[in-house]
Every structure is written in C-alpha cells, then in structure tokens.
C-alpha cells in the first residue's frame, strides 16, 4: 500500500492505485441508451451516420426546450439553472462514489448533499439580499435572516465540517479525505459558476442568452465542420476534435454572435436588467435602453472600405462586445470540454451519465457553459457595469437618521465644491 501511495504520476500509476487500494477496476464506458424508436428508424445507417442523426435530433429538441424556457421568463430560467446545477453535482459525486467504492463510508452521501445545501444557502441568500433588498427590509423574518446571513451560513458549514471529522474511520482516513476534497472541488466548479449565471441573468437576459447560444453554436458548428472536413487531430485528450472543426466553429460562432446580438438588441425584454417589482411582487423587464443598445454609426477602416464598398456601418455597441463573447466561447470555451475529457479519461468513463442519448449527461453539455459564465461575469464587472444609484439609495434609506444626515451634508458640500450648487444657502 505504501508503494501504491507513491505512484502519483501517469495513468498507469493511477490505475494501479485504484485497483490495489479500492478493490476493483474503474467504471467501464456506458452502454448505448438510444431510444428504440430511433434505433429502428436508423438501423440501416452506419454507426457514424447513426450517431450524427441521433445527436442532431436531440440537439434540435434541446434547442427547442431552450426557446421555451426563455419564453417562460426569468423565474423559470433561474429554476432551470438550479435544477441543472443539482443534476451536474449528482453526476460528479456519483462518479466519485463509484470510482472509490465509497459504499462503506459513513455519511458520505449525506454530507455531500448537506454541503451543497449550505453553499446554495449562502450564494442564493446573497442574491436575495442584493436584488430583493426592499422586499427583505419589508419582511421582518427576512430582514433578520439577511442581517445575520453570513454568520448563519458559516455556522451551517461548521456543522458539516464537524460531522465530517466525527465520521472519520481509522481504516478509511485517506479515502474519506479524498472524497471531502472531491465534494468541495465539485461545489467550486458547479455551484459557484451557476450562481454567476444567475447574476448575469439579472444584468439583462441578453447577457444570459447570447453567451449560452454562442457556446451551443460553437459546439454544433465545430462538430459539423469536423464531421465533414476534419482531418487534422486537435488535442490528444479528445481525439475526435480536429483543427478544421475548431477553426470553422470559431468563424461561424463570431458571425452567429453578431447576428444574434443585432436581433436581440432591439428588444427591451432582452436588454433591460431583470428587476423585482415590489408593488406587483413579480419580475419586470422594462427600462430606457442604455447606449449599449442604441444604434450608432461607426467608420469602417480604410483597408476594408475597398472590400465591402462602405465607409460607415450602423450597429449596436453590444455587437462589438459580442465579438469578445463569441471569441471566448469558440477559442477558450472548448478547453472546458477538454478538461472534462481529461477528467473522464482519468476514470475511464465515456460520459458523466446517460441522461441524454447521444450526448451523455447534463454535465457533458454544460462543461463549457460554466467556464463561459465566469468569463461573462468578469467581463461585465470589468467593462460594462458601473455604480448602481438605485442600490445606493436603498442602502442609504436603511441607515440611521444621523447617518443619513451626515451623508447628506457631505454630499452637499462636495457638490458645492464642484460648482454644481451655488452655495449652501441655495441648496
């Protein structure tokens, strides 16, 4: 056992450790779970073309479902994000549970789901406090929970931490710490980034739909270009990926992002921030569009004028940002998929689960989306979002009267110094 502990480099060492310490071989690839109707309809095709049609049909079904949940509104979208998060967590935890033969570990599954509950309570509590501030202040129980939210979250986590320590069994120490780390890395990858997806949604549905659609488009177009033109392998982690698919997917995704952004920028329901209306107790998406979503005229570089025959072009500023989003989705986003491929190869599994025939599990479809969500959130914070006056006013109104008066006098003196007010007596 001491020798196997030292074998930490390479696939062979990992395999030998799994077999010697955990009593068995890693999971085998999943079996074919294609619906019988499709199997009969496509029985005369080769396996290559059969897989193409199965993936294509179910991709269209998923895109249709995506359109339906967009139509149903922000609340349904947030619910779907939560459901996807839970399913992805379940798939990854199940792999760990099976690979490490954790059936004899006390409280492992219970603690894994308990930590998921704690982390969600923390993140969603922060979101409620931030975006439903007026509602929280209006309801006394919510106001108390909001005031002590971080302390409660920390206390919940400490409870789980102590439960884990108490569950340690002498013959399973190392295995239990493996699984403790497995659970926390899964929480970091899945829960944290799904929380960022919801934050992006509150900035406006366009910040939710365009990035996700760009990843979907790149996935589809890279597959199409690779299927018909692919000759040159791209990366060893994913042998079916080709340079032709990678490059073709990039150009197709950038073009798709520009067109989709142009269409969506003209509708307030997509461009306005998602806000909670305290009068109707519902979400509202209505505002005066910012400059980001107003048509402007741009000069075309002289080099391109002779090619396109135009000197200027009218477009939305958001379309320029969409180039950055689609470029990330097509050049960096696939590395989320490569990471997932490496993970699956490490444990000798084909897919995370058998949820979607031809596609694998939910995590197989969202491995790039989580990386994209983090980029979009960082991009908005760095280049788009400015101070929010309405949130500042909400926080100002919760202060004590003497604190409010102090801020008022400070602000008034500042405006007088800048010449925006004629004098203290005029104000």
């Amino acid at each position: 056992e001491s020798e196997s502990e030292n074998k930490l480099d390479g696939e062979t060492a990992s395999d030998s450790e799994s077999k010697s310490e955990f009593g068995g071989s890693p999971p085998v690839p999943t079996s074919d779970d294609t619906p019988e109707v499709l199997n009969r309809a496509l029985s005369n095709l080769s396996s290559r073309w059969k897989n193409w049609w199965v993936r294509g049909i179910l991709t269209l079904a998923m895109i249709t479902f995506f359109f339906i949940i967009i139509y149903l509104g922000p609340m349904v979208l947030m619910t779907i994000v939560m459901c996807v998060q839970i399913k992805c967590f379940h798939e990854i935890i199940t792999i760990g549970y099976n690979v490490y033969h954790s059936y004899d570990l006390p409280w492992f599954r219970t603690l894994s789901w308990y930590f998921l509950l704690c982390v969600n309570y923390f993140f969603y509590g922060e979101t409620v406090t931030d975006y439903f501030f007026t509602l929280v202040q209006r309801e006394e129980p919510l106001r108390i929970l909001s005031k002590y939210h971080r302390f409660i979250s920390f206390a919940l986590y400490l409870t789980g931490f102590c439960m884990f320590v108490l569950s340690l069994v002498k013959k399973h120490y190392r295995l239990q710490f493996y699984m403790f780390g497995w659970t926390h890395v899964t929480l970091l990858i899945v829960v944290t980034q799904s929380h960022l997806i919801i934050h992006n949604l509150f900035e406006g549905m366009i910040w939710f739909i365009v990035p996700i659609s760009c990843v979907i488009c790149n996935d589809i177009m890279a597959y199409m270009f690779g299927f018909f033109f692919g000759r040159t392998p791209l990366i060893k982690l994913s042998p079916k990926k080709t340079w032709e698919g990678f490059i073709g997917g990039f150009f197709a995704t950038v073009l798709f992002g520009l067109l989709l952004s142009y269409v969506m920028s003209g509708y307030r329901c997509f461009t306005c921030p998602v806000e909670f209306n305290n009068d109707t107790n519902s979400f509202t998406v209505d505002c005066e569009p910012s400059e980001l979503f107003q048509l402007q005229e741009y000069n075309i570089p002289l080099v391109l004028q002779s090619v396109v025959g135009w000197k200027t072009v009218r477009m939305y500023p958001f379309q320029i940002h969409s180039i950055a989003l689609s470029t990330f989705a097509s050049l960096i986003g696939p590395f989320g998929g490569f990471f997932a491929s490496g993970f699956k190869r490490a444990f000798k599994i084909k897919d995370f689960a058998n949820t979607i025939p031809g596609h694998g599990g939910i995590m197989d479809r969202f491995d790039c989306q989580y990386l994209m969500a983090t980029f979009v959130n960082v991009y908005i914070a760095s280049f788009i979002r400015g101070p929010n006056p309405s949130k500042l006013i909400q926080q100002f109104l919760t202060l004590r009267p003497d604190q409010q008066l102090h801020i008022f006098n400070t602000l008034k003196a500042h405006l007088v110094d800048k010449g925006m007010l004629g004098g203290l007596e005029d104000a």
Side-chain angles (χ1 to χ4, degrees):
E1 182 178 352
S2 61
E3 290 178 0
S4 67
E5 289 179 12
N6 294 327
K7 294 180 180 179
L8 299 176
D9 298 324
E11 189 174 357
T12 304
S14 176
D15 292 345
S16 63
E17 182 176 342
S18 297
K19 292 177 182 177
S20 62
E21 183 178 356
F22 304 124
S25 60
V28 295
T30 55
S31 59
D32 181 23
D33 57 340
T34 305
E36 187 61 30
V37 176
L38 289 178
N39 272 329
R40 287 200 301 267
L42 305 174
S43 59
N44 295 327
L45 299 177
S46 65
S47 60
R48 182 169 181 261
W49 279 99
K50 177 183 175 182
N51 181 63
W52 191 88
W53 278 105
V54 170
R55 287 176 65 94
I57 292 170
L58 291 170
T59 296
L60 290 176
M62 287 188 288
I63 291 174
T64 303
F65 177 70
F66 183 56
F67 283 135
I68 292 173
I69 62 174
I70 289 173
Y71 174 77
L72 294 176
M75 197 65 190
V76 175
L77 282 172
M78 284 186 278
T79 304
I80 293 296
V81 170
M82 170 68 83
C83 293
V84 167
Q85 173 214 118
I86 293 173
K87 186 65 176 74
C88 289
F89 181 83
H90 171 260
E91 290 177 359
I92 298 176
I93 288 297
T94 300
I95 291 173
Y97 193 82
N98 292 332
V99 168
Y100 290 124
H101 303 285
S102 310
Y103 302 99
D104 296 328
L105 292 186
W107 300 357
F108 166 65
R109 281 192 167 178
T110 302
L111 284 175
S112 295
W113 289 101
Y114 177 81
F115 281 125
L116 176 68
L117 177 65
C118 292
V119 175
N120 271 307
Y121 175 80
F122 171 73
F123 280 125
Y124 283 93
E126 294 281 312
T127 300
V128 168
T129 302
D130 195 20
Y131 291 99
F132 302 84
F133 187 82
T134 306
L135 175 64
V136 169
Q137 294 301 315
R138 193 173 62 195
E139 302 292 337
E140 183 65 19
L142 291 178
R143 190 178 64 80
I144 295 174
L145 287 174
S146 173
K147 183 177 180 180
Y148 302 107
H149 171 68
R150 296 195 175 186
F151 179 80
I152 295 172
S153 301
F154 184 62
L156 289 173
Y157 179 82
L158 280 182
T159 301
F161 179 80
C162 293
M163 289 170 63
F164 167 75
V165 174
L166 293 174
S167 72
L168 290 172
V169 178
K170 186 176 182 180
K171 62 179 179 178
H172 291 313
Y173 283 158
R174 186 170 65 165
L175 181 55
Q176 287 180 282
F177 278 102
Y178 276 158
M179 301 314 300
F180 184 77
W182 184 289
T183 299
H184 281 67
V185 172
T186 304
L187 292 172
L188 177 65
I189 293 174
V190 175
V191 182
T192 305
Q193 301 195 60
S194 64
H195 173 70
L196 297 181
I197 291 177
I198 292 179
H199 268 253
N200 299 340
L201 174 62
F202 276 107
E203 295 295 328
M205 290 183 66
I206 195 169
W207 291 104
F208 174 86
I209 297 172
V210 169
I212 287 180
S213 300
C214 284
V215 172
I216 294 172
C217 173
N218 182 70
D219 194 24
I220 294 172
M221 298 311 297
Y223 178 77
M224 297 287 284
F225 276 95
F227 186 87
F228 290 107
F229 308 109
R231 296 291 183 274
T232 313
L234 176 63
I235 187 170
K236 290 183 179 180
L237 279 174
S238 192
K240 293 184 180 180
K241 300 292 195 315
T242 63
W243 276 105
E244 291 81 1
F246 186 74
I247 296 171
F250 165 69
F251 286 106
T253 304
V254 171
L255 179 60
F256 171 80
L258 285 169
L259 295 176
L260 180 63
S261 299
Y262 181 82
V263 173
M264 295 186 65
S265 294
Y267 295 91
R268 295 187 180 186
C269 60
F270 295 129
T271 60
C272 291
V274 178
E275 296 179 345
F276 185 78
N277 190 314
N278 296 291
D279 298 327
T280 60
N281 286 330
S282 62
F283 289 103
T284 58
V285 186
D286 188 25
C287 67
E288 191 65 31
S290 65
E291 292 183 358
L292 203 61
F293 305 107
Q294 296 179 10
L295 282 171
Q296 298 184 23
E297 196 169 271
Y298 294 91
N299 293 322
I300 296 178
L302 294 175
V303 180
L304 298 177
Q305 286 184 14
S306 58
V307 178
V308 299
W310 306 331
K311 291 185 178 181
T312 61
V313 61
R314 285 176 59 80
M315 60 188 298
Y316 295 99
F318 180 79
Q319 288 180 272
I320 299 174
H321 295 290
S322 76
I323 297 175
L325 299 179
S326 56
T327 299
F328 184 91
S330 53
L331 297 184
I332 307 299
F335 281 84
F338 301 152
F339 177 86
S341 296
F343 178 88
K344 288 182 284 188
R345 280 179 171 274
F347 297 102
K348 297 187 181 301
I349 57 176
K350 180 182 177 182
D351 298 310
F352 283 95
N354 300 323
T355 310
I356 311 170
H359 291 267
I362 298 296
M363 191 63 199
D364 290 286
R365 293 298 89 211
F366 281 83
D367 46 13
C368 301
Q369 295 288 4
Y370 284 127
L371 191 62
M372 187 70 190
T374 304
F375 172 73
V376 173
N377 191 268
V378 171
Y379 189 88
I380 292 173
S382 301
F383 304 108
I384 305 298
R385 186 191 298 132
N388 191 326
S390 62
K391 289 185 179 180
L392 291 175
I393 292 174
Q394 289 176 352
Q395 294 176 349
F396 176 79
L397 294 176
T398 61
L399 299 175
R400 299 194 309 269
D402 59 311
Q403 294 174 324
Q404 294 177 358
L405 186 61
H406 174 72
I407 293 176
F408 171 76
N409 290 328
T410 303
L411 179 61
K412 184 168 65 172
H414 174 73
L415 294 175
V416 170
D417 291 341
K418 294 189 68 173
M420 300 183 68
L421 292 176
L424 293 176
E425 65 281 353
D426 296 334

